[in-house]
Amino acid sequence: MIDTKAPAETTPKGEPHVQDLEVVPVRDYGRWIAAVASLLALVGLIGSLARNDNLHWDVVGTYLFADLIFDGLATTLWLTAASMLLGLGLGTLIAVMRLSSSPVLYGLATAFVWVFRGTPLLVQIIFWGYAAALYKYVKIGVPFTDITFLQAETNALLTPAIAALLALGLNEAAYASEIVRAGIQSVDPGQAEAAHSLGMRPALTMRRIVLPQAMRVIIPPMGNETINMLKMTALVSVISAHDLMSNIQDVYAQNYQVIPMLVVASLWYLALVTLLGIPQAWLERRYGRGITMAGYASPLRRMLGGAMGRNGKSGDGGRNGKNGKNREEESR
């Protein structure tokens, strides 16, 4: 008879079993020295700023929660949201046009991206803010005739806030179209072909099949664009759109406390960017569930998990120790 049982693991007499060996990580002293030096430099910088009398922290505290600041924050937030909605909606349309087989649609979309992505945003904001110098009236009628259905003064329509919205939204549409186009092209063409074979129309295929799969590629850069848009709203202060930066400039133009007021603006922008990072991370995890690596954990979880594992309470170290003992008992 042939014995099919695997032979028991044996070790030379007097030597410990391999599962009983304690795994000790390599100690990188250079990394610890660099970390301590970085922390000391950071603490020194914070301490220097905290003790600097030229910052006038009393002025910062006075204006940090002032009504004028909250009015500017409200304008900044709605400008960010409205501009991103306009940019994303128009950008999606332009992306589809650039992927169209029609040379006219492709040419128009390419020209739009070329113009709005090729000129500085500050120039576009100033252009829309002073559009009345180019056209005194906005007319809707039959081209190349005197027939007019609607007429209004440009200054009455293009208020600073509307001009800022048009500049930010159209500029964002040029960048969003490239992001959406890259996301659409990342989807396997066989997905659309399979949908068409089932009788789905191209518009329905794009909305129900292609775009949901493209969101995995679109979400991360679009989240960055949203954060960038929040900061870019500060540029509309050149046309006095009454955003956060505009109101900050109005204040330090009167009290001459430039640095303290810029600190107020920086603190609020940092707080808003931090809050925007939370839904971005959630969306990235949601749309990346199918491709996220198994066992991935954040650096904090890995650090805590590694510390607990070395104590034998949880983590791989504890599990390996128990499994090693069980295997040793079975071999005996």
Side-chain angles (χ1 to χ4, degrees):
M1 253 180 106
I2 299 176
D3 189 4
T4 58
K5 292 184 179 180
E9 297 181 9
T10 59
T11 57
K13 188 176 181 181
E15 294 185 6
H17 199 277
V18 65
Q19 273 76 20
D20 295 333
L21 295 176
E22 181 181 1
V23 179
V24 180
V26 178
R27 293 177 175 83
D28 191 347
Y29 296 104
R31 183 174 59 184
W32 284 103
I33 293 173
V36 172
S38 301
L39 287 177
L40 290 177
L42 179 61
V43 171
L45 176 62
I46 295 175
S48 175
L49 292 174
R51 297 192 304 269
N52 195 330
D53 295 333
N54 294 325
L55 278 176
H56 298 285
W57 290 106
D58 56 334
V59 177
V60 174
T62 300
Y63 287 97
L64 188 60
F65 300 103
D67 294 338
L68 188 67
I69 302 301
F70 284 117
D71 292 340
L73 280 174
T75 303
T76 295
L77 290 175
W78 85 256
L79 266 180
T80 302
S83 300
M84 285 305 301
L85 289 175
L86 175 60
L88 184 57
L90 185 58
T92 303
L93 177 61
I94 294 171
V96 175
M97 291 172 62
R98 292 201 69 185
L99 295 174
S100 173
S101 58
S102 172
V104 176
L105 295 179
Y106 174 81
L108 291 175
T110 303
F112 180 91
V113 174
W114 174 66
V115 171
F116 286 95
R117 196 177 60 173
T119 55
L121 176 58
L122 183 60
V123 173
Q124 297 176 32
I125 292 174
I126 297 175
F127 176 84
W128 286 106
Y130 293 91
L134 184 61
Y135 292 104
K136 187 176 181 180
Y137 296 98
V138 176
K139 300 179 180 180
I140 299 178
V142 180
F144 308 110
T145 65
D146 294 333
I147 301 175
T148 302
F149 303 116
L150 182 63
Q151 177 177 320
E153 291 188 1
T154 304
N155 282 329
L157 291 178
L158 287 181
T159 61
I162 299 301
L165 173 61
L166 287 175
L168 295 172
L170 294 177
N171 181 266
E172 178 58 34
Y175 289 92
S177 66
E178 293 299 287
I179 296 174
V180 174
R181 183 170 67 92
I184 293 174
Q185 290 179 330
S186 68
V187 179
D188 190 350
Q191 299 284 329
E193 294 175 359
H196 294 160
S197 66
L198 295 176
M200 297 181 68
R201 296 178 179 272
L204 183 60
T205 301
M206 180 64 67
R207 187 174 68 253
R208 298 291 299 273
I209 303 298
V210 178
L211 285 180
Q213 297 183 67
M215 292 300 290
R216 176 178 57 84
V217 178
I218 294 174
I219 287 296
M222 197 59 68
N224 292 334
E225 285 294 313
T226 304
I227 292 174
N228 192 49
M229 176 63 69
L230 174 66
K231 296 180 294 182
M232 284 299 181
T233 55
L235 293 177
V236 304
S237 59
V238 297
I239 58 175
S240 301
H242 300 294
D243 67 310
L244 175 60
M245 196 61 197
S246 299
N247 291 353
I248 289 289
Q249 289 178 343
D250 292 340
V251 172
Y252 71 61
Q254 298 177 7
N255 61 10
Y256 303 104
Q257 299 293 335
V258 178
I259 298 299
M261 296 309 300
L262 291 180
V263 171
V264 173
S266 300
L267 291 176
W268 276 112
Y269 280 120
L270 285 172
L272 294 176
V273 167
T274 303
L275 291 177
L276 284 178
I278 297 174
Q280 178 188 0
W282 180 81
L283 287 172
E284 289 183 9
R285 288 195 304 268
R286 177 176 177 82
Y287 285 99
R289 287 177 298 182
I291 53 95
T292 303
M293 293 181 296
Y296 173 79
S298 64
L300 180 60
R301 289 184 177 180
R302 290 198 300 268
M303 182 178 63
L304 296 177
M308 295 177 67
R310 286 193 293 271
N311 294 333
K313 296 180 180 179
S314 65
D316 293 340
R319 289 194 298 270
N320 289 339
K322 294 179 180 179
N323 294 337
K325 292 181 180 179
N326 293 336
R327 285 195 295 269
E328 185 178 358
E329 292 177 359
E330 291 176 359
S331 65
R332 290 177 181 175

